[in-house]
Amino acid sequence: MLGVDYAGHVVLVKCYSGMANAACEVFDALQWKNVVVTLSGEDTLRIVARSERDAKTSCTELTRHVG
C-alpha cells in the first residue's frame, strides 16, 4: 500500500499498479466489522463503511500498515 485516506463513508487505499486486487482479497479475508463492500481497480481499493466513524477507524488501522 502506498497511502490511505477517507471521505465520508469511503476509504481509499492507493496501491502499487496491479496490486489492488490482491490487497482487496486480503482485506476481505479479514472480515472487518462495519464494512459494507469493497471494490478494487488497478491501483486503488475502495472500502465502503457503514458510517463515517467506521471509515475513520478503518483508515487509522490501515495507515499503520503503510510503509
Side-chain angles (χ1 to χ4, degrees):
M1 292 187 299
L2 297 173
V4 182
D5 202 356
Y6 78 100
H9 294 248
V10 180
V11 179
L12 295 174
V13 181
K14 185 70 173 173
C15 302
Y16 291 102
S17 184
M19 297 303 296
N21 283 327
C24 190
E25 183 80 22
V26 170
F27 185 87
D28 286 345
L30 295 174
Q31 299 179 351
W32 287 41
K33 289 184 176 181
N34 298 317
V35 170
V36 177
V37 68
T38 58
L39 177 67
S40 64
E42 181 70 19
D43 64 356
T44 306
L45 164 61
R46 294 152 195 90
I47 301 163
V48 178
R50 296 211 177 271
S51 69
E52 186 170 350
R53 186 170 76 178
D54 293 332
K56 182 178 180 180
T57 300
S58 296
C59 185
T60 301
E61 289 294 318
L62 288 168
T63 299
R64 294 180 186 168
H65 300 286
V66 174

